[in-house]
Amino acid sequence: MIAFSALVLIAGCQDEGSRRPNDITQSNINRETRIVKNDPATRAMVMNDCRANVRRGSAKDRQNIAVFMKVPVSEAAETFCSRIVGGLESGRLTAADGNALKRGRITPAALAVLQGE
């Protein structure tokens, strides 16, 4: 669950560059996505952790997330987490997308998922 949660929580930005030791691997994402899809309790835990992490962010960050996703601020945490988890479960988001997000870059796939497309 560590790699999946790390991607869902979009932990801090890193400098751009090639593969790093803390990068999420696709094999980890595949394994953990199967667990989340098949275990409602684990999925609920991941969603709760994600929502809590978004809510811990600054008011400005929550506002930016809401504007980016075209939702009210009050729905930002739920929408962000639902779209990220759904994107992972559907295979629309990959480890490469997650690693790019950790570095402060957004891939076309992540953009589409976060904007609900």
Side-chain angles (χ1 to χ4, degrees), residues 26-117:
Q26 191 61 46
S27 62
N28 283 346
I29 290 295
N30 293 343
R31 181 182 69 249
E32 294 171 7
T33 297
R34 281 191 299 276
I35 294 168
V36 168
K37 284 172 83 169
N38 294 309
D39 183 355
T42 300
R43 188 180 200 283
M45 178 196 71
V46 167
M47 288 293 294
N48 288 337
D49 289 348
C50 179
R51 286 188 295 260
N53 189 61
V54 172
R55 289 182 184 123
R56 276 192 298 272
S58 71
K60 183 173 175 118
D61 286 346
R62 288 190 305 276
Q63 176 67 36
N64 288 339
I65 289 170
V67 168
F68 181 76
M69 293 188 307
K70 301 173 185 163
V71 299
V73 174
S74 62
E75 297 174 18
E78 181 66 32
T79 303
F80 175 84
C81 298
S82 293
R83 288 179 183 177
I84 290 288
V85 170
L88 290 165
E89 289 175 333
S90 69
R92 292 182 65 204
L93 289 178
T94 66
D97 298 313
N99 291 323
L101 287 167
K102 284 173 37 178
R103 292 183 178 90
R105 295 187 335 259
I106 189 159
T107 63
L111 178 66
V113 165
L114 288 171
Q115 292 190 327
E117 298 173 359

